[in-house]
Amino acid sequence: MASPARAQQAPTLPDTARVSREQALRVLHAAADALGGRDAVAGARGWELRQRGTVRNAWQQARSPADTTAANPSAVRVVLDLAGRRALRETDSGAPGGIRFNFLTVFDTAGARQVDLLRWRTGTDVARGTAAQARASLAGLERLLPHTAVRQGL
């Protein structure tokens, strides 16, 4: 009489999710230490970022067909208030032919609102975004600088 076949046991695999989580926590805590400690990171109140530069637009926005790129001035200002869970972003950019765009967008947990400060593209209309869109934008802004990115991770 033949002996019953032994059930083959699957090889034991490492818990890669657990290992990955543990490694991520080590990196996160090391980053917090490098940024002044957990209390310093948790106490971050927000930030203001201003940037000026030149944007290269697509070929179809060039001044002439021979010029395949257009270099235009651009500025952005972003203010993030972590305690208030709100932010604002102001963009000011140009396009060939003296065209200028200047928009202000504010975000909070209730939603987003955008206005055309020059009243040229959208007049006095207020463009509105949903609360979910605004919260996603706030979370993204928190990841721009190391202190607030680590704060979000903790």
Side-chain angles (χ1 to χ4, degrees):
M1 181 164 171
S3 64
R6 288 189 174 175
Q8 289 189 355
Q9 293 183 348
T12 304
L13 299 174
D15 182 356
T16 56
R18 181 187 53 77
V19 172
S20 180
R21 251 188 328 273
E22 289 170 355
Q23 182 179 4
L25 284 172
R26 282 194 301 275
V27 169
L28 191 59
H29 290 292
D33 290 344
L35 293 168
R38 187 181 183 104
D39 291 341
V41 170
R45 299 180 66 141
W47 46 259
E48 179 174 354
L49 174 69
R50 292 174 184 254
Q51 183 177 5
R52 290 194 169 283
T54 301
V55 174
R56 295 212 177 268
N57 296 93
W59 64 269
Q60 70 271 26
Q61 293 181 338
R63 190 176 291 274
S64 74
D67 179 15
T68 58
T69 61
N72 298 297
S74 178
V76 65
R77 175 178 166 240
V78 181
V79 180
L80 177 65
D81 173 12
L82 291 166
R85 298 291 301 142
R86 59 188 178 184
L88 72 81
R89 179 181 62 217
E90 181 180 353
T91 58
D92 189 357
S93 60
I99 297 170
R100 187 170 156 226
F101 304 97
N102 191 198
F103 292 94
L104 176 68
T105 308
V106 293
F107 308 91
D108 60 29
T109 57
R113 280 93 44 219
Q114 182 181 65
V115 294
D116 177 355
L117 295 174
L118 300 176
R119 298 186 204 143
W120 178 68
R121 301 272 298 182
T122 59
T124 58
D125 291 350
V126 177
R128 298 184 186 280
T130 67
Q133 292 168 329
R135 285 192 302 269
S137 294
L138 287 168
L141 290 173
E142 286 181 27
R143 295 183 198 116
L144 282 177
L145 297 179
H147 278 76
T148 50
V150 170
R151 179 183 185 273
Q152 189 180 72
L154 293 174

